[in-house]
């Protein structure tokens, strides 16, 4: 039977070819001979790797590929060693010290190697190093390095290995995985025997504690969730390293050399071992393909690689799911399996074989068993403050117990005994149609979802064991589902669970500083159960061809009665799901100073109760998307929308005529400027159009008044001022300059060059031909002093751009090149021109893939089209950006002509896509009345 390397390399032929390069005189190798030798080895390695890649593409066997590559490496090292001792450093009568064993350690020691993996070698000596040994090692290493391999190496005696293994856990793990390659085999045999007797014996708990702590630290560094959408295949949670950790512990604690022996030791069942092997095989296939694809040791499945990986692995698109999303769903399901296997392994280790040391005791919760009963239950007990089953047939005798165990854990704030979770996972077949319709089971589940304690923790345990997806099949469809988008950090199921956690955080009054309004109104919400159910279900229809909000509402109408909700509750849950994106979209991409925006939004809300619930749900939803997605600016926009809508839905809003509101605003500003000389005050009040007086709040008007007054006194027609808004996480830059049709475009270009991200722009013109533009940019520094200094530099750059001393197009073009991760995405460009969203303005919404300098390009085209921008609102969702502009023509009228609307769409699409557009000289903009 052929070995896995038989098709990769002919060891005998390579050895003969190497021997043919040796000269007649032993002990020397010319430079030419060495070059020929290197070329021969390099060709053999290249051919072998190409064949390994072909075989992987053909059979898809990842573990086999890793073994083939490992044995290919074995052959190369053996041939080099044989050539060295026979032709370069021959010894006719070696002393007892002139012995050397080459030992593979680390991952290479396991007999598996990825194309870009390090080759970890131990050169094993009987005693101290000799000149002969040093020369042979040097010859081997230099050839391996010249082959382009990354070689980790150490040269030690057997005694040194034993001594260092006792004190260094990394070295201990490396020696644990040692594998004899070539040379003096008795040396390696001695190392194995002494390591087992002098290091391993009696130190199992110490090693386990160290490895589990190391694993936790690695997870923390990589990201605590196994559902991060750009996972690390090797070191991430649920990756290969977790499986390796299991094997290290098993090999060390149970003294076994193969995974097969774990079944005999009673750690895994045969079925669980098969799962172990399937997970390992898949992860090795992904890792090997990843290295072959990138030609380096990339371990992270970044967005720009996932599409190609899906194609390599043979995934195809299905309705509602792209090929890449199906591949990544499979990946996350495997990561979940790895988590299940880890839990099963630790349960067996703890229950039956643990001899705890204090550190292990803390990590695994070991110690003297303390058992007590759970009030009202004979099927479950509390063991060491963890819930466990009281007998073997607890679930078979009453399948409702598969839900009840989680309900009791929540009710009494108990952790789960690993054995109990293992029994749950092995009883999933009991969750059938009858259990799903069981009234008691559904009541218990509803109480879990809407728990006042920690619903996320219990729901996560239900998801990890597979219960959640079986009991709620629609949830099962989104388990491990990723969305191919830079905006979403987690899989859909992970996002839903995190959103429940953030909802509970708001209810508990935590993080009130970040979202004070949500915390303030939550206690007044009349039906918290409805809110929790809506939160749990809001994205449950992701991955379907239709709009997930509408499909999700339909699922809610079917599922909620099963859970015991009334028709009124069901209707509210469905409404919340159908509109769960509305508040965020309105707040971020509409002009909240436009009365029509508020009235339209209020018409959908219909009641204060729904407005409250939607606000809280929106906050939790955004926070659960991923780190850094929620910020103070989004919070401020949501609060503004809430406060503007509240009086409308409660009937407190009265329609005062626009002229009267303008007069009142002008009078209010005049009173606030009472300390100004009357002539100066009256002149200033005449400088502003009604739009400014109605849309800007009084504190900002007063700040603008002082800013403009100072500029006038200094006889400056161009000035900037900055204000750091810490709580909103933005910094406001106000520009006072001579009005110019491309003013906003120039400001946007300067901000792009400075790396400042514009999120909002309010544009006003004074009656004397000046412009007053307020630009909000994302905050970069936590410290106000640093942030103001940075903003001042941006302001200076804006002034230089407006003065014409800054060459913008060239600098913006350099920044506009799409970066690596963005290249992976294809987002359709859409341009909408809408006259129904505002009574006064035409609203242009441009959406597509983001790039540096985009706002500069769009605003430049808008000014070329002789349109006057009243406000701009920028929302970024990962790789996708939505830019919204409120515009009029130069006479202050909406754009109603169909051919002109078509021209706007055509020109803006061309600008968005980076295609050439006809230049047109813009006319002067006018301030609408």
């Amino acid at each position: 039977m052929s070995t896995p390397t038989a098709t990769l390399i002919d060891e005998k032929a390579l050895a003969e070819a190497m021997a043919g390069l040796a000269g007649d005189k032993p002990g020397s190798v010319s430079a030419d001979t060495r070059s020929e030798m290197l070329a021969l080895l390099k060709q053999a390695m290249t051919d072998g790797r190409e064949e390994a890649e072909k075989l992987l593409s053909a059979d898809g066997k990842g573990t086999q590929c890793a073994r083939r590559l490992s044995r290919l490496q074995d052959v190369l090292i053996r041939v080099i060693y044989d050539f060295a001792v026979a032709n370069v450093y021959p010894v006719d009568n070696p002393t007892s010290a002139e012995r050397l064993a080459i030992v593979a350690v680390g991952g290479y020691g396991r007999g598996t190697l990825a194309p870009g993996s390090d080759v970890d070698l131990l050169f094993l000596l009987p005693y101290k190093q000799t000149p002969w040994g040093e020369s042979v090692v040097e010859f081997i290493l230099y050839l391996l390095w010249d082959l382009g391999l990354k070689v980790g190496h150490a040269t030690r005696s057997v005694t040194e290995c034993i001594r260092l293994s006792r004190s260094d856990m990394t070295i201990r793990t490396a020696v644990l995985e040692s594998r004899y390659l070539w040379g003096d085999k008795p040396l390696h045999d001695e190392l194995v025997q002494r390591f087992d007797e002098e290091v391993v014996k009696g130190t199992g708990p110490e090693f386990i504690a160290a490895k589990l702590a190391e694993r936790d630290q690695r997870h923390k560094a990589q990201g605590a969730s196994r559902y991060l959408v750009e996972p690390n295949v090797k070191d991430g949670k649920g990756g290969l390293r977790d499986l390796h950790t299991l094997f290290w512990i098993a090999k060390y604690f149970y003294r076994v050399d193969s995974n097969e022996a774990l079944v005999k030791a009673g750690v895994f069942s045969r079925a669980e071992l098969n799962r172990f092997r399937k997970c390992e095989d898949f992860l090795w296939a992904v890792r090997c393909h990843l290295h072959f694809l990138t030609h380096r040791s990339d371990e992270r499945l970044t967005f720009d690689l996932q599409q190609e990986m899906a194609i390599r692995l043979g995934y195809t698109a299905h309705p509602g799911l792209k090929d890449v999303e199906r591949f990544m769903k499979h990946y996350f399901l495997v990561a979940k399996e790895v988590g299940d296997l880890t839990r099963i392994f630790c349960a067996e280790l703890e229950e039956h074989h643990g001899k705890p040391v204090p550190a292990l005791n803390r990590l695994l919760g070991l110690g003297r068993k303390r058992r007590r009963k759970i009030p009202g239950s004979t099927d479950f007990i509390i063991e060491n403050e963890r819930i466990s089953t009281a007998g073997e047939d607890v679930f078979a005798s009453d399948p409702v117990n598969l839900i009840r165990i989680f309900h009791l854990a929540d009710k009494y704030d108990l952790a789960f005994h690993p054995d109990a979770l293992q029994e749950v996972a092995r009883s999933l077949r009991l969750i059938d149609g009858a259990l799903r319709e069981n009234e008691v089971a559904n009541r218990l589940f509803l109480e879990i979802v809407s728990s006042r304690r920690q619903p996320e923790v219990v729901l996560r345990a239900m998801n990890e064991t597979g219960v959640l997806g079986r009991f709620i099949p629609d949830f099962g469809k989104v388990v491990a589902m990723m969305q191919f988008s830079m905006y979403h950090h987690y899989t859909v199921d992970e996002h839903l669970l995190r959103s429940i956690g953030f909802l509970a955080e708001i209810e508990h009054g935590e993080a009130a500083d970040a979202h004070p309004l949500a915390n303030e109104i939550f206690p007044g919400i009349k039906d918290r159960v409805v809110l929790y159910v809506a939160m749990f279900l809001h994205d449950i229809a992701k991955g379907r061809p239709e709009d997930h909000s509408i499909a999700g509402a339909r699922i809610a109408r079917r599922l909620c009665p099963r859970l015991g909700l009334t028709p009124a509750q069901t209707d509210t849950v469905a409404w919340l799901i159908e509109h769960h994106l509305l508040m965020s979209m309105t707040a971020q991409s509409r002009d909240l100073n436009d009365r029509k925006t508020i009235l339209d939004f209020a018409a959908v809300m219909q009641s204060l109760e729904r407005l409250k619930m939607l606000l809280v749900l929106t906050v939790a939803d955004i926070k659960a998307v991923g780190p850094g997605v929620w910020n103070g600016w989004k919070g401020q926009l949501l609060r503004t929308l809430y406060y503007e809508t509240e009086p409308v839905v409660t009937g407190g809003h009265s329609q005062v005529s626009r002229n009267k509101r303008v007069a009142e605003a002008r009078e209010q500003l005049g009173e606030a400027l009472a300390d100004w000389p009357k002539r100066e005050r009256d002149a200033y009040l005449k400088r502003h159009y009604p739009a400014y007086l109605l849309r800007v709040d009084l504190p900002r008007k007063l700040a603008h008044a002082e800013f403009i007054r100072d500029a006038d006194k200094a006889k400056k027609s161009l000035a900037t001022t900055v204000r750091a808004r810490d709580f909103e996480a933005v910094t406001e830059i106000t520009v006072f300059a001579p009005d110019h049709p491309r003013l906003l475009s120039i400001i946007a270009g300067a901000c792009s060059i400075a790396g400042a991200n514009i999120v909002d722009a309010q544009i006003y013109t004074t009656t004397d031909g000046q412009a007053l533009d307020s630009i909000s940019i994302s905050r970069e520094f936590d410290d106000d002093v640093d942030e103001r200094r940075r903003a001042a530099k941006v302001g200076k750059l804006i002034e230089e751009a407006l003065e014409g001393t800054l060459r913008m197009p060239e600098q913006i073009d350099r920044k506009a090149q799409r970066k690596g991760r963005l290249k992976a995405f294809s987002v359709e460009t859409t341009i909408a021109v809408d006259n129904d969203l505002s009574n006064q303005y035409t609203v242009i919404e441009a959406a597509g893939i983001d790039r540096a300098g985009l706002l500069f390009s769009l605003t430049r085209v808008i000014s070329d089209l002789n349109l006057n921008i009243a406000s701009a609102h920028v929302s970024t969702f990962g790789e996708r950006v939505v830019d919204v502009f409120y515009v009029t023509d130069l006479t202050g009228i909406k754009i109603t002509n169909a051919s002109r609307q078509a021209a706007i769409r055509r020109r803006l699409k061309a600008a968005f896509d980076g295609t050439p557009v006809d230049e047109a000289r813009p006319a002067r903009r006018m301030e609408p009345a």
Side-chain angles (χ1 to χ4, degrees):
M1 190 174 73
S2 64
T3 67
T5 51
T7 54
L8 296 191
I9 190 168
D10 187 333
E11 183 171 0
K12 184 179 179 183
L14 181 61
E16 288 174 355
M18 290 278 286
L21 295 176
D24 297 330
K25 185 180 178 183
S28 65
V29 175
S30 68
D32 289 343
T33 299
R34 192 180 186 286
S35 294
E36 290 180 62
M37 186 191 316
L38 184 61
L40 188 66
L41 292 167
K42 190 168 283 188
Q43 190 61 52
M45 184 177 75
T46 302
D47 291 346
R49 289 189 170 197
E50 287 177 356
E51 185 62 26
E53 186 173 5
K54 287 179 186 175
L55 289 169
L56 176 62
S57 297
D59 62 27
K61 294 179 179 177
T63 306
Q64 190 73 286
C65 179
R67 287 175 181 158
R68 288 174 183 141
L69 290 169
S70 175
R71 289 178 185 171
L72 169 65
Q73 192 63 55
D74 292 355
V75 169
L76 294 173
I77 290 170
R78 286 199 295 262
V79 167
I80 294 171
Y81 174 85
D82 285 346
F83 185 90
V85 298
N87 302 292
V88 188
Y89 303 107
V91 179
D92 294 330
N93 297 302
T95 65
S96 60
E98 289 175 323
R99 292 186 294 143
L100 177 68
I102 305 179
V103 178
V105 293
Y108 185 32
R110 284 189 301 276
T112 51
L113 209 60
S117 294
D118 291 0
V119 178
D120 293 325
L121 296 173
L122 169 64
F123 296 99
L124 196 59
L125 310 170
Y127 317 114
K128 64 182 182 179
Q129 180 64 285
T130 64
W132 173 83
E134 189 172 355
S135 299
V136 171
V137 169
E138 189 176 273
F139 182 84
I140 294 169
L141 286 175
Y142 274 104
L143 265 179
L144 293 176
W145 285 331
D146 288 346
L147 284 170
L149 296 168
K150 291 181 288 182
V151 184
H153 64 94
T155 304
R156 298 189 181 108
S157 68
V158 174
T159 300
E160 282 179 310
C161 287
I162 300 302
R163 177 175 57 81
L164 291 170
S165 293
R166 289 196 189 107
S167 58
D168 189 312
M169 201 58 71
T170 302
I171 293 173
R172 190 185 302 189
T173 306
V175 175
L176 174 70
E177 294 193 289
S178 69
R179 177 173 61 89
Y180 170 74
L181 276 182
W182 212 233
D184 194 296
K185 191 170 187 304
L187 269 179
H188 182 252
D189 292 341
E190 180 188 348
L191 174 65
V192 171
Q193 185 268 324
R194 286 186 60 186
F195 181 76
D196 192 58
E197 288 295 319
E198 300 176 32
V199 180
V200 175
K201 195 172 182 180
T203 61
E206 171 195 340
F207 181 80
I208 296 168
K211 286 291 125 185
L212 292 179
E214 184 183 286
R215 179 199 64 181
D216 292 343
Q217 190 61 37
R218 187 178 72 252
H219 289 170
K220 186 177 179 182
Q222 290 296 328
S225 174
R226 66 175 59 93
Y227 304 115
L228 288 167
V229 292
E230 290 187 300
N232 186 304
V233 180
K234 178 184 175 186
D235 292 322
K237 193 170 186 180
L240 271 170
R241 184 70 82 196
D242 280 0
L243 288 179
H244 297 162
T245 300
L246 290 189
F247 184 64
W248 291 334
I249 292 173
K251 188 171 184 180
Y252 200 101
F253 197 84
Y254 294 98
R255 316 285 274 278
V256 298
D257 289 321
S258 69
N259 295 338
E260 187 73 32
L262 293 176
V263 176
K264 294 178 182 176
V267 178
F268 288 134
S269 67
R270 173 64 55 186
E272 287 159 354
L273 179 63
N274 289 338
R275 287 166 61 194
F276 184 106
R277 286 175 170 160
K278 283 181 71 175
C279 290
E280 185 178 37
D281 192 62
F282 175 80
L283 291 172
W284 268 119
V286 171
R287 191 179 180 209
C288 288
H289 271 300
L290 195 56
H291 286 198
F292 281 132
L293 176 63
T294 60
H295 304 291
R296 58 180 184 268
S297 57
D298 265 356
E299 307 295 358
R300 197 170 190 86
L301 268 172
T302 52
F303 288 124
D304 53 317
L305 300 173
Q306 289 174 9
Q307 185 77 58
E308 181 63 30
M309 287 290 293
I311 295 169
R312 276 176 162 258
L313 288 158
Y315 290 86
T316 56
H318 280 194
L321 279 180
K322 301 173 185 174
D323 50 0
V324 64
E325 291 171 338
R326 291 188 65 232
F327 158 53
M328 292 306 297
K329 178 167 185 175
H330 188 184
Y331 179 90
F332 291 120
L333 286 172
V334 168
K336 182 177 179 296
E337 284 276 281
V338 172
D340 293 344
L341 291 167
T342 303
R343 187 175 56 251
I344 291 167
F345 180 83
C346 289
E348 177 64 27
L349 191 72
E350 170 186 347
E351 186 64 17
H352 304 294
H353 298 279
K355 294 181 180 178
V357 295
L360 179 59
N361 200 21
R362 288 193 299 274
L363 277 163
L364 292 182
L366 301 177
R368 183 172 60 82
K369 290 184 180 178
R370 298 186 303 279
R371 293 190 176 189
R372 55 191 173 91
K373 293 180 180 180
I374 294 179
S377 174
T378 57
D379 292 328
F380 300 102
I381 57 171
I382 298 173
E383 187 176 303
N384 289 336
E385 298 308 313
R386 293 175 300 180
I387 190 167
S388 190
T389 54
E392 294 183 0
D393 61 346
V394 163
F395 300 121
S397 62
D398 184 2
V400 174
N401 279 331
L402 284 164
I403 308 299
R404 186 174 284 117
I405 184 174
F406 296 99
H407 183 267
L408 290 170
D410 173 64
K411 184 177 181 180
Y412 294 105
D413 193 22
L414 298 170
F416 295 93
H417 194 287
D419 274 357
L421 290 182
Q422 186 174 348
E423 288 179 50
V424 168
R426 290 174 177 175
S427 304
L428 292 178
R429 68 188 184 282
L430 299 172
I431 303 177
D432 55 15
L435 182 63
R436 293 185 197 106
E437 295 300 325
N438 185 282
E439 186 178 340
V440 175
N442 281 289
R443 176 178 57 79
L444 294 175
F445 179 73
L446 182 60
E447 290 176 11
I448 291 169
V449 171
S450 58
S451 169
R452 294 183 183 274
R453 288 167 286 273
Q454 291 182 302
E456 179 192 3
V457 173
V458 179
L459 287 170
R460 189 177 298 284
M462 294 183 79
N463 193 35
E464 291 289 338
T465 52
V467 170
L468 194 50
R470 294 274 295 196
F471 190 67
I472 309 290
D474 287 299
F475 188 91
K477 292 177 183 177
V478 298
V479 169
M481 179 188 289
M482 68 91 70
Q483 297 159 84
F484 192 58
S485 154
M486 285 172 60
Y487 180 62
H488 299 93
H489 294 234
Y490 303 107
T491 56
V492 178
D493 58 325
E494 178 71 3
H495 167 71
L496 288 173
L497 297 181
R498 284 175 175 264
S499 68
I500 287 285
F502 283 117
L503 187 59
E505 178 186 274
I506 294 169
E507 182 176 21
H508 298 157
E510 300 166 15
D513 290 345
H515 34 72
L517 179 59
N519 282 56
E520 177 188 326
I521 66 176
F522 197 108
I525 289 175
K526 295 172 184 174
D527 195 339
R528 54 179 298 284
V529 173
V530 162
L531 187 54
Y532 272 92
V533 174
M535 193 88 259
F536 175 67
L537 297 176
H538 76 275
D539 275 348
I540 204 163
K542 281 285 179 78
R544 304 184 189 218
E546 67 231 273
D547 185 311
H548 79 280
S549 299
I550 295 171
R554 190 167 59 248
I555 290 170
R557 289 189 181 95
R558 169 169 47 81
L559 182 62
C560 288
R562 187 193 119 185
L563 297 177
L565 270 66
T566 66
Q569 288 178 311
T570 299
D571 185 56
T572 304
V573 170
W575 183 90
L576 284 167
I577 293 170
E578 186 172 342
H579 297 96
H580 76 269
L581 297 175
L582 178 63
M583 193 165 196
S584 173
M585 184 277 292
T586 304
Q588 293 183 67
S589 61
R590 295 290 177 261
D591 190 337
L592 302 183
N593 290 312
D594 191 302
R595 198 70 204 153
K596 185 75 160 49
T597 299
I598 305 304
L599 295 176
D600 287 350
F601 181 71
V604 179
M605 294 301 103
Q606 297 180 348
S607 74
L608 181 59
E609 186 67 14
R610 285 187 170 185
L611 176 63
K612 287 179 179 179
M613 285 196 283
L614 190 60
L615 172 82
V616 175
L617 185 142
T618 302
V619 172
D621 186 17
I622 295 174
K623 291 193 72 175
V625 169
V629 176
W630 172 265
N631 57 41
W633 174 243
K634 290 174 183 172
Q636 179 61 35
L637 292 174
L638 289 171
R639 284 190 296 275
T640 300
L641 179 56
Y642 179 90
Y643 287 131
E644 291 292 326
T645 308
E646 183 182 28
V648 180
V649 296
T650 56
H653 174 69
S654 59
Q655 280 288 356
V656 180
S657 72
R658 187 169 188 266
N659 288 340
K660 187 173 182 181
R661 286 190 290 122
V662 170
E664 288 175 352
R666 198 185 302 274
E667 183 181 348
Q668 184 185 44
L669 178 58
E671 289 174 356
L673 297 176
D675 58 336
W676 283 30
K678 185 177 186 305
R679 187 173 178 180
E680 183 184 5
R681 181 174 67 245
D682 291 344
Y684 181 78
L685 292 174
K686 290 177 183 177
R687 293 177 80 168
H688 291 294
Y689 287 103
Y692 173 84
L693 295 169
L694 289 177
R695 293 157 68 94
V696 180
D697 62 36
L698 184 60
R700 296 306 303 134
K701 286 176 190 167
L702 292 175
H704 289 161
E706 295 299 334
F707 169 53
I708 293 172
R709 188 186 201 188
D710 290 343
D712 288 345
K713 286 181 178 177
K715 300 191 182 305
K716 292 170 66 176
S717 62
L718 173 59
T720 58
T721 185
V722 302
R723 179 171 72 113
R725 294 163 63 182
D726 183 18
F727 185 65
E728 293 91 345
V730 294
T731 295
E732 186 177 272
I733 301 176
T734 302
V735 181
F736 183 62
D739 189 25
H740 185 282
R742 281 188 174 165
L743 183 61
L744 180 58
S745 179
I746 294 169
I747 292 171
C751 287
S752 176
I753 293 169
N757 178 40
I758 296 177
V759 295
D760 194 74
Q762 297 292 331
I763 295 97
Y764 302 103
T765 305
T766 61
T767 55
D768 55 351
Q770 288 287 110
L772 184 67
D773 292 1
S774 289
I775 311 299
S776 295
I777 61 175
S778 297
R779 190 180 176 96
E780 192 168 297
F781 296 101
D782 291 333
D783 184 75
D784 274 355
V785 174
D786 291 338
E787 180 62 18
R788 279 195 293 269
R789 186 183 300 119
R790 170 240 183 186
K793 289 180 180 178
V794 176
K796 183 66 176 172
L797 209 60
I798 290 171
E799 290 183 25
E800 290 175 8
L802 290 172
E803 288 167 347
T805 59
L806 180 68
R807 296 183 63 83
M808 288 201 301
E810 296 89 342
Q811 293 194 47
I812 291 171
D813 287 343
R814 283 198 297 271
K815 281 183 168 283
Q817 299 300 314
R818 282 172 67 182
K819 300 298 187 284
R821 292 171 80 220
L822 277 175
K823 289 178 183 177
F825 299 97
S826 175
V827 178
E828 181 184 1
T829 300
T830 60
I831 311 294
V833 180
D834 195 306
N835 278 315
D836 295 328
L837 294 172
S838 172
N839 290 328
Q840 192 173 357
Y841 303 101
T842 293
V843 179
I844 301 173
E845 183 174 294
I849 198 156
D850 197 12
R851 61 176 168 84
L854 177 62
L855 189 60
F856 167 74
S857 300
L858 296 179
T859 50
R860 192 175 187 185
V861 168
I862 289 172
S863 64
D864 287 349
L865 289 165
N866 292 325
L867 299 176
N868 183 28
I869 301 174
S871 67
H873 313 274
V874 181
S875 305
T876 306
F877 306 93
E879 74 282 0
R880 181 173 178 268
V881 66
V882 180
D883 289 350
V884 177
F885 306 94
Y886 281 63
V887 305
T888 62
D889 66 12
L890 296 182
T891 64
I893 304 299
K894 285 185 180 184
I895 315 303
T896 55
N897 181 276
S899 61
R900 194 172 184 192
Q901 288 182 3
I904 291 170
R905 284 190 288 267
R906 185 175 61 253
R907 292 282 301 275
L908 284 177
K909 188 176 188 306
F912 220 121
D913 296 340
T915 53
V917 293
D918 296 332
E919 291 293 328
R921 184 173 181 82
R924 180 180 177 84
R925 69 177 183 177
M926 291 179 64
E927 179 76 13

